[in-house]
Amino acid sequence: MEIQERDIVRTLVDREGFLKESKGVVVSIYYGYPVCEVEIWDKTNYLIDVITYKFDELEVIEHTNE
């Protein structure tokens, strides 16, 4: 299944000061491209930033649209 908005994800790469294994939620998808915006959370699930990732740089932890 493809990545969808509201999926909970884990990052597989370091990006913009955030280490791989960071957790977040997909908030926007660039349709026609394998890219999305992810809200990155801290350890208490508090939003700290929004970063763009390619789909292959993410692992879905939970599909919330099923």
Side-chain angles (χ1 to χ4, degrees):
M1 176 176 270
E2 288 190 24
I3 292 176
Q4 301 176 23
E5 287 184 7
R6 298 192 327 245
D7 282 352
I8 309 299
V9 295
R10 178 180 298 114
T11 64
L12 302 176
V13 296
D14 295 342
R15 166 92 22 92
E16 296 185 31
F18 296 99
L19 299 176
K20 68 180 181 178
E21 302 294 321
S22 295
K23 185 177 168 185
V25 64
V26 177
V27 293
S28 180
I29 293 177
Y30 293 94
Y31 291 98
Y33 302 94
V35 178
C36 61
E37 296 286 327
V38 177
E39 285 185 352
I40 300 297
W41 302 338
D42 66 10
K43 293 186 187 303
T44 65
N45 292 338
Y46 184 79
L47 167 67
I48 51 178
D49 207 344
V50 178
I51 308 293
T52 302
Y53 287 92
K54 295 177 186 175
F55 289 168
D56 64 358
E57 298 174 332
L58 300 169
E59 173 185 30
V60 176
I61 296 171
E62 179 182 349
H63 289 290
T64 60
N65 293 324
E66 294 181 348

